[in-house]
Amino acid sequence: MDAGEAFGKVLRRVRREAGLTQEQLGFEADLRRTYVSLLELGQQQPSLTTILKLAAALQRRPGELLDLTANELNNEKKTSAS
């Protein structure tokens, strides 16, 4: 798993916890729903501006999204090493 895939997993989980659809998140973050989908699938990597928009829409700190992504990558490494 690369960083883009890890961010996508985190984004999907946090979006669902917030009770938002991809369309709702896109609206709140001023992004297209299709772009949100590509991010969640790990097919696109977000810019800093996009991370800031997503964090604001999800009412999270941008650093929290990055910390969760780093944790996701670390958990994947531990699972792969086992």
Side-chain angles (χ1 to χ4, degrees), residues 26-46:
F27 179 79
E28 293 295 324
D30 193 30
L31 300 168
R32 294 176 190 236
R33 184 211 55 84
T34 53
Y35 184 60
V36 172
S37 176
L38 290 172
L39 289 171
E40 288 186 359
L41 293 171
Q43 295 177 355
Q44 291 284 323
Q45 292 196 20

Side-chain angles (χ1 to χ4, degrees), residues 14-79:
V14 172
R15 174 183 60 78
R16 287 179 174 169
E17 288 172 1
L20 297 173
T21 64
Q22 288 179 344
E23 188 168 348
Q24 290 168 325
L25 177 57
F27 179 79
E28 293 295 324
D30 193 30
L31 300 168
R32 294 176 190 236
R33 184 211 55 84
T34 53
Y35 184 60
V36 172
S37 176
L38 290 172
L39 289 171
E40 288 186 359
L41 293 171
Q43 295 177 355
Q44 291 284 323
Q45 292 196 20
S47 67
L48 178 58
T49 300
T50 299
I51 292 171
L52 293 171
K53 287 180 174 185
L54 290 168
L58 293 165
Q59 298 180 348
R60 302 280 186 120
R61 290 179 306 99
E64 183 180 357
L65 295 179
L66 298 176
D67 287 343
L68 291 169
T69 301
N71 290 341
E72 188 69 37
L73 285 168
N74 288 334
N75 289 340
E76 177 68 21
K77 286 180 185 175
K78 289 178 186 174
T79 304

